[in-house]
Amino acid sequence: DTGVSQDPRHKITKRGQNVTFRCDPISEHNRLYWYRQTLGQGPEFLTYFQNEAQLEKSRLLSDRFSAERPKGSFSTLEIQRTEQGDSAMYLCASSLLAGDSYEQYFGPGTRLTVT
Amino acid sequence: AQKVTQAQTEISVVEKEDVTLDCVYETRDTTYYLFWYKQPPSGELVFLIRRNSFDEQNEISGRYSWNFQKSTSSFNFTITASQVVDSAVYFCALSFLGGNEKLTFGTGTRLTIIP
């Protein structure tokens, strides 16, 4: 059973460019979450999918951010017109909604640096 | 609103000493989960424990133990006979039970074990 994977692991981009990150959850996990972690802080919730439906978005997710999970498997997070304030670690997590099991398993993250 | 406070920003102890990491939470929900995650230097968040609000029994897993007290809204984590491999940032987190289970994290405690 492979864990959650994220690609790329690191991304350096210039301000104003668009970037897209991918997350592959643990197979059969029906819930997928995106979080953002800045230096010295805990992860903050961005958005969440149950299967292919995006059920909640944080107010942190501005109009420049969009996330998809087209077939209920992998997910993408796109940031348009990046700003220096977008520099952070973007974490993906997945979980299986079944019975009493709610643990979220995290991927290694994508570290974004906007110059 | 939910909030998790980890007042200890950094702790250093000498190897083999015991160390307790504090976590205080706030929530208006009557049913919730509490979690601890470990983030080693590699960056990937590792799940350690989940405790639901109905279960105040303390738990021990090897050198790790957790003390949950609803009366003081605390969920503290103790490492006994610390080892260098325990060096990491530790996060306490909270989620509402029955919703989307998004995690609200504290700011983390950086633990350094000195050989």
Side-chain angles (χ1 to χ4, degrees):
Chain A
D1 182 26
T2 58
V4 178
S5 62
Q6 293 186 245
D7 184 69
R9 295 291 306 275
H10 302 273
K11 179 70 177 180
I12 299 173
T13 191
K14 292 185 177 179
R15 187 165 51 104
Q17 297 294 305
N18 299 343
V19 294
T20 299
F21 310 141
R22 177 181 170 120
C23 170
D24 286 90
I26 294 172
S27 59
E28 91 265 5
H29 276 194
N30 49 11
R31 288 187 164 183
L32 187 148
Y33 302 80
W34 285 98
Y35 293 84
R36 181 172 69 186
Q37 184 178 20
T38 54
L39 203 60
Q41 300 297 314
E44 295 176 293
F45 170 78
L46 291 179
T47 189
Y48 137 80
F49 292 83
Q50 182 159 319
N51 299 313
E52 67 274 10
Q54 186 174 19
L55 298 185
E56 185 171 345
K57 294 193 290 186
S58 162
R59 57 179 173 78
L60 293 175
L61 216 64
S62 76
D63 291 344
R64 298 182 296 105
F65 287 71
S66 63
E68 294 183 342
R69 194 182 183 197
K71 296 183 180 179
S73 57
F74 73 91
S75 175
T76 58
L77 177 68
E78 180 183 16
I79 309 174
Q80 296 183 328
R81 305 181 304 282
T82 52
E83 302 173 355
Q84 287 188 322
D86 297 331
S87 295
M89 176 77 87
Y90 290 84
L91 296 165
C92 176
S94 69
S95 70
L96 177 64
L97 176 59
D100 194 35
S101 173
Y102 294 109
E103 286 80 40
Q104 293 182 28
Y105 294 90
F106 282 80
T110 294
R111 182 168 296 283
L112 173 67
T113 302
V114 182
T115 62
Chain B
Q2 299 182 329
K3 183 179 180 182
V4 176
T5 301
Q6 295 180 256
Q8 303 153 308
T9 305
E10 296 191 29
I11 300 177
S12 294
V13 299
V14 176
E15 194 172 19
K16 296 184 184 177
E17 287 185 352
D18 299 347
V19 58
T20 295
L21 309 182
D22 297 334
C23 172
V24 174
Y25 63 92
E26 297 174 32
T27 181
R28 286 179 287 198
D29 300 319
T30 55
T31 54
Y32 50 88
Y33 282 125
L34 293 162
F35 301 80
W36 277 95
Y37 280 84
K38 174 182 180 180
Q39 189 172 44
S42 61
E44 190 161 341
L45 280 161
V46 177
F47 167 80
L48 296 178
I49 190 171
R50 171 178 62 98
R51 171 67 74 220
N52 75 50
S53 53
F54 300 123
D55 184 2
E56 285 193 72
Q57 282 192 340
N58 293 331
E59 181 155 342
I60 298 174
S61 176
R63 297 183 297 106
Y64 296 170
S65 62
W66 291 270
N67 181 268
F68 175 30
Q69 292 194 342
K70 282 180 83 169
S71 60
T72 55
S73 297
S74 65
F75 186 44
N76 296 338
F77 173 29
T78 297
I79 301 175
T80 303
S82 59
Q83 299 176 3
V84 172
V85 293
D86 297 326
S87 295
V89 180
Y90 290 85
F91 291 97
C92 182
L94 170 70
S95 75
F96 169 61
L97 195 161
N100 61 21
E101 281 80 43
K102 67 182 179 184
L103 295 167
T104 298
F105 285 86
T107 51
T109 297
R110 180 177 299 279
L111 176 63
T112 302
I113 308 301
I114 303 166

